Amino acid sequence: MAQQSILVAPSLLAADFSKLADEVAAIERAGADWLHLDIMDGHFVPNISFGPSITKALRPHTKMPFDVHLMIAPADPYLAAFADAGADHILIHPESGPHPHRSLQAIQGLGKKAGLVLNPGTPLAHAAPVLDLLDIILVMSVNPGFGGQKFLHSQLARIAELRRMIDAQDRPIRLEVDGGVDPHTAPLCIGAGADTFVAGTAVFAAPDYAEAIADIRGGAHA
Ligand code: DX5
Ligand code: ZN
């Protein structure tokens, strides 16, 4: 299957939390495709971020799809709240509950796109039995919980393996990468078959958001 267009999803985690609506508007103007929202509970990951209320408060401020990455356990009791808050995609980790297949069915049942997130130490085999339910596979190229970590090159071979799994399907699944993505690491991921990029620090710490997004999408300039 031909590679899909490259999408960039800036992660709100790296934005200035004192002016979230302005930050969201700024990245939309700068050409971002999706807004990535990292939901952390201080239990599944060792950090706390924000929940459905902030997600809902931001919804009227942008047309960008909301790519909601749930780093919470359990996730099932909160799926409807995030759907109501305006999530377009809801992504779960298989470790967040005993029945990931049921969780993905529940996300579909809420009318949202479903995603599975694979930590650096999670076997890719978790994706195989649920491929028919997935719109997105998100490969963590850092251990989840914090922005600003170093990209794990060990994930490139896993991205390539997932690309082969996806291409053996008869429908597209977005292959997204999250963690340490910047204009230098994104081209490596594109080479391995990824088509969608979460970027926190590389966008929000850059002096020019539009240039940062374009550089991730297009690869580093020489
Ligand atoms: C980490 C989050 C990421 C994080 C990425 O747990 O899932 O989305 O915001 O941040 P950077 O791009 O700075 O590595
Ligand atoms: Zn994330």
Side-chain angles (χ1 to χ4, degrees):
M1 192 178 295
Q3 179 133 327
Q4 304 186 76
S5 57
I6 303 297
L7 301 183
V8 179
S11 165
L12 196 65
L13 194 66
D16 182 339
F17 276 24
S18 71
K19 48 172 192 172
L20 287 177
D22 293 347
E23 291 277 64
V24 168
I27 57 152
E28 186 164 30
R29 276 197 309 274
D33 299 290
W34 300 349
L35 179 67
H36 186 80
L37 298 109
D38 288 302
I39 313 299
M40 302 178 176
D41 66 355
H43 162 76
F44 185 72
V45 290
N47 193 9
I48 299 176
S49 58
F50 52 87
S53 341
I54 285 182
T55 305
K56 188 171 196 165
L58 290 172
R59 186 62 281 184
H61 291 271
T62 174
K63 290 189 167 45
M64 288 183 290
F66 277 11
D67 190 48
V68 175
H69 176 188
L70 295 182
M71 287 163 274
I72 62 175
D76 289 357
Y78 302 98
L79 298 177
F82 282 102
D84 290 347
D88 296 280
H89 318 151
I90 301 181
L91 300 98
I92 58 151
H93 286 252
E95 299 89 349
S96 66
H99 302 293
H101 187 282
R102 176 183 287 153
S103 305
L104 294 166
Q105 282 180 316
I107 294 167
Q108 277 197 341
L110 290 162
K112 307 301 173 185
K113 290 192 190 306
L116 191 72
V117 191
L118 300 169
N119 281 336
T122 301
L124 302 185
H126 281 276
V130 294
L131 275 184
D132 61 320
L133 292 170
L134 296 179
D135 299 293
I136 301 164
I137 299 176
L138 176 58
V139 176
M140 291 306 302
S141 40
V142 299
N143 283 294
F146 302 95
Q149 301 182 81
K150 198 171 163 354
F151 180 86
L152 295 169
H153 288 258
S154 56
Q155 298 309 299
L156 291 170
R158 285 157 54 82
I159 292 168
E161 177 61 29
L162 287 164
R163 169 49 58 198
R164 286 190 283 276
M165 283 172 65
I166 290 170
D167 284 353
Q169 300 288 295
D170 55 6
R171 63 185 193 87
I173 297 174
R174 281 268 160 199
L175 183 49
E176 188 174 18
V177 181
D178 185 1
V181 170
D182 64 23
H184 302 283
T185 55
L188 305 176
C189 299
I190 292 171
D195 54 35
T196 305
F197 294 98
V198 177
T201 311
V203 171
F204 285 103
D208 182 330
Y209 294 174
E211 197 174 295
I213 290 167
D215 282 352
I216 291 165
R217 201 194 303 283
H221 301 305

